[in-house]
Amino acid sequence: MALAAKLQLRQSQSLVMTPQLMQSIRLLQLTHVELERFIDEEIERNPLLERAEPQDDAASDQAQKSDAAPERDSAGDWFEGETEWSSEAISQKLDSSLENLFPDDPGTSERLGPDLTAQWKSAAGSAGTASSEGFDVGDMAAAAVTLREHVGEQIALASLSPGDRLIAGELADGLDEAGYLRTDLVEIAVRLGTDEAAVAHVLGVCQSFEPAGLFARDLAECLSLQLQARDRFDPAMKALVANLELLARRDFQTLKRICGVDEEDLLDMLAEIRALDPRPGLAFSGGASDAIVADVEVRAANDGSWAVELNADTLPRVLVDNVYFARVSSHAKDQAEKDFLAECLQNANWLTRSLDQRAKTILKVASEIVRQQDAFLVHGVRHLKPLNLRTVADAIGMHESTVSRVTANKYMLTPRGVFELRYFFTASIASAEGGEAHSSEAVRDRIKQMIDEEKPADVLSDDAIVDMLKESGIDIARRTVAKYREGMNIASSVQRRREKRALANAGR
């Protein structure tokens, strides 16, 4: 049978992801901040999109007055139009003299006193540079000093030669946000054409900068620099800092032997270590954490149910300017301009529909979560039910992936606090008595409570916790208890017993 090339026409159907559909899917998983940034980019790109800013009652009343009386007397808008006025013109426009307007006249100090006059001058000078909305004290606040600027000021004041200042600048550029030096000294020496000893000498000078601990290359060196600044870096403390891994394991017996101290001295040394700052550079990070803004608000309704509403502050208000489209499209010169305007209108309409669909989807998913976790809202975390994405997706008639995108980085404000939507989706732990399954988050809370209530003479092991949970109807394995305990940063029973014994001896 001979092989030959030929052409065939075939008709078939397939699901194609259009750019608009991909955009709608992407909007579901965007956070509030990311969505605002995306809207700003779309408004810059599309001339038919604009934000719909909410107007308060006073603004709307003023707008109505403006529409009702479009013609104004020229004296009413004295601040619009000409920018330069004579003293007589200002007095005529305001029906007042300059002495009553500005605090610089000689009579002001006599009437108000020097203190009030100075405050008035400061406020007036700031208001001249501020917006017309009024004087804001926050505008006068100095910008936060960064770690690089703080170190640069100390380099300028240090007794260093011009060549050493260049080396110090390179070392400062190698600092991370915590204040640790992440650049190799040999690499700096090769780059600057000097020897490693010169770089090490400058590093020693930089390590004397404030706050103590900057330019350290590891945690032990950071703590050592701070102890040296406090004149507390004696041989015993030096041995303790050199064996931080034993401190992390709470092996106090070995530390006492290595440091050559008794238990009381070791406790004092541990207290000094706890008072140190392991990341001194974070004080100059200058970065502010974004406050969590809840996307959904849940409150108790009058009929005993739960009212689920979207937070209006997280919903971007975008409008399509059809009037502008009609005016511009009528003056289009060629087909390319008409196609561009038609594409802008289509994208704008699609974006508004996508935002509306996004809001409806979030509300639908949140309402189902509230319905499923009603016991949690009423009684607390112990009554959190096991829940997965498929259960919610089947209940609201959506795909599981859609629910996953909606619950990503979205938050719900409830009477019990603010929770991420993913918090309500927990694994199921079987019941030892064959009853209803337990939520993994509820089991974690129960384990934490057991450990918090344990006595120094009776520290619970993981096996003991397993037995106690089984007695209360929770069938759980020992490795699962250990995993939950480690996830909550709770030490093992051996380490907890040592720490409680040390604290008990210190209290005697």
Side-chain angles (χ1 to χ4, degrees):
M1 181 177 179
L3 298 177
K6 60 181 179 179
L7 296 176
Q8 287 184 343
L9 294 177
R10 180 178 301 174
Q11 186 177 9
S12 62
Q13 293 181 344
S14 62
L15 181 62
V16 179
M17 295 283 288
T18 63
Q20 291 83 359
L21 183 58
M22 294 177 63
Q23 181 190 80
S24 299
I25 295 176
R26 188 161 69 94
L27 289 180
L28 286 176
Q29 57 191 10
L30 293 182
T31 63
H32 166 61
V33 177
E34 294 171 343
L35 183 61
E36 290 292 338
R37 188 182 303 117
F38 174 79
I39 295 298
D40 291 337
E41 294 175 356
E42 288 297 317
I43 290 177
E44 292 181 2
R45 187 182 300 113
N46 195 331
L48 301 182
L49 284 174
E50 63 179 5
R51 283 189 179 272
E53 299 296 340
Q55 296 183 351
D56 53 12
D57 297 337
S60 60
D61 294 342
Q62 184 66 27
Q64 293 176 0
K65 293 179 180 179
S66 302
D67 295 338
E71 297 182 0
R72 307 177 189 175
D73 182 58
S74 59
D77 291 337
W78 62 273
F79 51 86
E80 298 178 358
E82 299 184 32
T83 57
E84 297 182 359
W85 293 81
S86 62
S87 300
E88 294 79 5
I90 295 177
S91 300
Q92 294 174 1
K93 293 291 182 180
L94 295 177
D95 193 20
S96 180
S97 63
L98 290 178
E99 287 80 4
N100 295 331
L101 294 176
F102 299 100
D104 297 328
D105 63 292
T108 304
S109 299
E110 299 177 0
R111 294 191 299 270
L112 300 179
D115 296 336
L116 289 178
T117 302
Q119 295 178 10
W120 193 357
K121 288 182 179 181
S122 177
S126 301
T129 59
S131 63
S132 60
E133 297 178 357
F135 169 70
D136 187 4
V137 179
D139 295 337
M140 301 177 61
V145 178
T146 63
L147 176 61
R148 185 63 178 86
E149 293 171 346
H150 177 74
V151 171
E153 293 175 357
Q154 299 188 69
I155 292 175
L157 298 176
S159 300
L160 296 173
S161 63
D164 290 343
R165 293 185 192 278
L166 182 61
I167 297 175
E170 288 291 326
L171 292 173
D173 291 338
L175 294 178
D176 62 6
E177 62 178 7
Y180 287 84
L181 181 64
R182 299 306 183 188
T183 305
D184 187 60
L185 300 186
V186 177
E187 180 183 347
I188 295 178
V190 173
R191 185 163 60 247
L192 297 181
T194 183
D195 54 2
E196 186 178 354
V199 179
H201 168 70
V202 177
L203 176 61
V205 176
C206 294
Q207 288 180 341
S208 64
F209 291 167
E210 292 292 335
L214 294 179
F215 291 92
R217 286 160 288 186
D218 53 36
L219 178 60
E221 188 174 22
C222 179
L223 299 180
S224 300
L225 293 174
Q226 297 181 54
L227 291 169
Q228 291 173 14
R230 300 185 181 192
D231 196 19
R232 282 292 297 121
F233 198 59
D234 51 27
M237 190 66 76
K238 183 177 181 180
L240 177 61
V241 173
N243 294 273
L244 292 178
E245 68 280 358
L246 297 177
L247 179 60
R249 296 201 302 264
R250 294 178 172 84
D251 192 354
F252 299 134
Q253 296 297 330
T254 306
L255 284 175
K256 287 192 298 183
R257 186 177 67 256
I258 294 177
C259 298
V261 296
D262 55 13
E263 190 167 346
E264 183 178 356
D265 291 337
L266 180 62
L267 290 175
D268 293 338
M269 295 167 61
L270 295 180
E272 292 186 47
I273 293 293
R274 292 191 185 97
L276 302 178
D277 187 2
R279 293 177 291 183
L282 291 185
F284 304 91
S285 60
S289 301
D290 294 330
I292 294 178
V293 180
D295 299 88
V296 182
E297 297 179 358
V298 180
R299 66 177 187 275
N302 296 330
D303 58 355
S305 61
W306 298 102
V308 184
E309 297 179 355
L310 293 176
N311 185 4
D313 295 335
T314 62
L315 298 177
R317 301 172 179 86
V318 182
L319 295 179
V320 181
D321 196 343
N322 292 293
V323 177
Y324 179 73
F325 170 77
R327 184 169 65 251
V328 175
S329 59
S330 62
H331 296 83
K333 298 179 181 179
D334 51 21
Q335 188 62 34
E337 293 184 0
K338 293 182 179 179
D339 294 341
F340 171 75
L341 292 173
E343 182 181 359
C344 289
L345 181 63
Q346 180 183 2
N347 292 337
N349 289 328
W350 185 274
L351 178 60
T352 55
R353 289 196 299 267
S354 298
L355 292 175
D356 182 65
Q357 184 63 35
R358 175 183 182 273
K360 293 180 180 178
T361 305
I362 294 176
L363 183 60
K364 186 180 295 186
V365 172
S367 299
E368 180 60 24
I369 292 176
V370 170
R371 191 185 71 84
Q372 295 279 353
Q373 301 293 358
D374 175 74
F376 163 78
L377 297 174
V378 176
H379 303 290
V381 67
R382 292 291 180 86
H383 297 267
L384 192 65
K385 293 171 52 179
L387 187 64
N388 53 39
L389 299 175
R390 181 178 296 275
T391 303
V392 175
D394 294 341
I396 62 178
M398 291 185 176
H399 196 272
E400 187 176 347
S401 62
T402 303
V403 178
S404 176
R405 292 185 177 94
V406 169
T407 55
N409 301 317
K410 307 293 189 307
Y411 293 88
M412 178 186 295
L413 174 62
T414 70
R416 296 194 173 274
V418 179
F419 301 93
E420 189 178 5
L421 294 184
R422 289 285 178 91
Y423 174 82
F424 299 98
F425 295 89
T426 59
S428 175
I429 297 179
S431 174
E433 301 173 355
E436 201 172 307
H438 302 270
S439 168
S440 60
E441 194 66 33
V443 175
R444 284 190 183 93
D445 183 75
R446 186 165 299 188
I447 294 174
K448 184 177 183 303
Q449 183 182 13
M450 289 180 180
I451 295 177
D452 292 340
E453 295 177 352
E454 64 185 4
K455 299 178 181 179
D458 188 18
V459 177
L460 299 176
S461 64
D462 293 343
D463 291 325
I465 294 176
V466 169
D467 295 337
M468 295 175 65
L469 290 176
K470 287 185 177 180
E471 291 177 359
S472 60
I474 301 176
D475 187 10
I476 189 171
R478 180 187 178 279
R479 63 178 180 275
T480 306
V481 172
K483 182 180 69 173
Y484 288 171
R485 175 180 52 76
E486 293 171 357
M488 293 184 289
N489 295 323
I490 298 177
S492 65
S493 58
V494 177
Q495 294 171 337
R496 297 200 309 274
R497 187 177 295 106
R498 289 176 179 174
E499 187 172 350
K500 291 180 183 295
R501 187 182 298 114
L503 292 176
N505 295 331
R508 294 177 180 176

